[in-house]
Amino acid sequence: MSKSYHDVYEMLRDTLPENGDALAKEVEKNVKGYTLGETLIRTRINAGLTQKQLADKLGCTQSRISKIECAHNDDIRMSDYGKYLGACGYDVSVLVHQHQ
């Protein structure tokens, strides 16, 4: 009899009882960590740019663009994010204020 799971993380926890919870957390962290990179790729493509064209606009290598797009969320520097989006035609600003 087969069992249904809500998501792959639940399946890992259930089917690998010895280290399933730790593995599920690691997989989830890795999957969720690529969200920003995927958004950057879609933004570049929507701007009609190849990695090489974007690299030329930013004065870096195509390899650097690839590394930014493949980085985990916490590995992308704000400055890289801002420059990348700016080169894709977006105005980028950061607003910081204290809650009252």
Side-chain angles (χ1 to χ4, degrees), residues 22-40:
L23 181 59
K25 286 178 183 175
E26 185 66 23
V27 168
E28 186 173 15
K29 175 185 164 195
N30 286 331
V31 168
K32 289 182 177 179
Y34 284 101
T35 304
L36 183 56
E38 291 170 356
T39 300
L40 291 175

Side-chain angles (χ1 to χ4, degrees), residues 9-78:
Y9 316 116
E10 180 184 345
M11 182 195 69
L12 288 170
R13 284 189 289 274
D14 187 47
T15 58
L16 302 170
E18 287 187 33
N19 65 350
D21 191 48
L23 181 59
K25 286 178 183 175
E26 185 66 23
V27 168
E28 186 173 15
K29 175 185 164 195
N30 286 331
V31 168
K32 289 182 177 179
Y34 284 101
T35 304
L36 183 56
E38 291 170 356
T39 300
L40 291 175
I41 293 167
R42 282 192 298 274
T43 301
R44 175 180 53 77
I45 291 169
N46 287 338
L49 298 169
T50 65
Q51 285 185 338
K52 175 73 172 114
Q53 290 168 326
L54 183 58
D56 290 344
K57 287 180 90 167
L58 292 174
C60 66
T61 63
Q62 178 273 327
S63 175
R64 177 75 184 125
I65 299 301
S66 178
K67 286 178 184 175
I68 291 170
E69 292 178 349
C70 291
H72 286 270
N73 288 347
D74 32 343
D75 292 335
I76 298 176
R77 295 180 290 194
M78 267 309 274

